[in-house]
Amino acid sequence: MESLFECEFTVSVKMAANRIRRLYPARCIVFPIIGISIFLLMTHFALKYGFTGIWLLYFLFGVFYLIFALLMPEINGLIAVRRFNKDTSGMGGYKVSFGDSIEINQGNIRVYWAYSEISQVRHLKYSYELMKNKRMGIMLDPDGFTKGTFKEFKQFLRGKRPDLKDKYDMD
C-alpha cells in the first residue's frame, strides 16, 4: 500500500541534545553537580596555594570539566549528528513513511515497524518520538511532513492505536 503520511527531516544538534536529556536525565544532573564540585575544589586550592605550577593545571582541569558537564548533551548531540551524516554519506536525513506499516529510511538502511510495536508517544522540545521500548524510538519532526500534515497524522495514529490514548503526549 502507498504511504498516507511521510515525514522527511535532518536531525539537528538541538533535537539530538534534547533526546539525550530525556533519555539520560540522571547524567544531565549528576555531571554538572560533579563539575561544580571539582571546579570549586580546584578554585579553593588554586587560591590557597597560588595559580602556579600544578595548581594552575588543576584549576584549568576544573574549568574544563565544568564546561564539559554543562554542555554534555550538546556535545554528544553534535557527535551523534556528525556520525549520522558520515554514515549516510550525504544521502539526506530520515524519511519515515506511514501506510500499512511504518517504514524508516536512513541513508541505505530501511527498517519496518508494525504499529503494534509502538508503546508510547513522547513529545520532546523540538521533535516527537514513537517509542518501541525505553531507549528505541522513531524521531519525527512536526514540521517535516511532506505528505499529509502533523495534525492529520495525530488523528491517524490515534485511529491505529486507540489503546495508547492515555499515553499520548502529542497535544
Side-chain angles (χ1 to χ4, degrees):
M1 180 181 166
E2 187 178 316
S3 64
L4 301 171
F5 298 95
E6 289 182 0
C7 181
E8 292 184 56
F9 65 98
T10 302
V11 178
S12 68
V13 174
K14 287 181 181 181
M15 287 174 151
N18 196 275
R19 184 173 194 275
I20 290 166
R21 280 189 197 91
R22 181 77 177 242
L23 289 177
Y24 306 105
R27 287 184 195 173
C28 295
I29 293 169
V30 172
F31 280 13
I33 290 171
I34 293 171
I36 291 168
S37 301
I38 289 173
F39 173 74
L40 291 175
L41 184 65
M42 295 304 137
T43 302
H44 168 73
F45 284 121
L47 289 171
K48 185 175 181 178
Y49 298 110
F51 287 92
T52 58
I54 194 74
W55 297 111
L56 178 62
L57 185 63
Y58 288 157
F59 173 76
L60 291 175
F61 172 77
V63 170
F64 175 77
Y65 189 86
L66 177 60
I67 292 170
F68 172 77
L70 294 173
L71 297 177
M72 188 259 313
E74 284 77 11
I75 292 168
N76 286 337
L78 179 64
I79 291 167
V81 168
R82 283 187 174 180
R83 185 179 311 131
F84 172 77
N85 289 337
K86 181 182 174 189
D87 290 345
T88 58
S89 303
M91 297 177 131
Y94 286 104
K95 180 179 178 186
V96 184
S97 303
F98 299 90
D100 288 337
S101 63
I102 304 168
E103 179 182 337
I104 304 110
N105 291 305
Q106 175 184 335
N108 291 330
I109 300 169
R110 182 175 291 174
V111 177
Y112 293 93
W113 279 17
Y115 290 97
S116 61
E117 295 180 80
I118 300 172
S119 64
Q120 183 181 13
V121 178
R122 285 187 183 165
H123 171 67
L124 302 174
K125 190 172 183 178
Y126 303 103
S127 62
Y128 285 84
E129 283 190 320
L130 306 177
M131 300 303 294
K132 186 174 188 175
N133 56 38
K134 193 173 184 178
R135 303 248 188 262
M136 184 185 296
I138 303 168
M139 191 180 291
L140 298 174
D141 182 359
D143 299 325
F145 278 82
T146 57
K147 190 172 186 183
T149 65
F150 183 64
K151 187 175 181 179
E152 294 168 342
F153 170 72
K154 289 191 300 187
Q155 292 301 105
F156 169 78
L157 189 59
R158 283 189 175 110
K160 285 281 191 183
R161 291 298 309 272
D163 59 313
L164 290 178
K165 199 155 194 97
D166 60 335
K167 296 182 182 180
Y168 277 87
D169 195 8
M170 295 179 78
D171 296 319

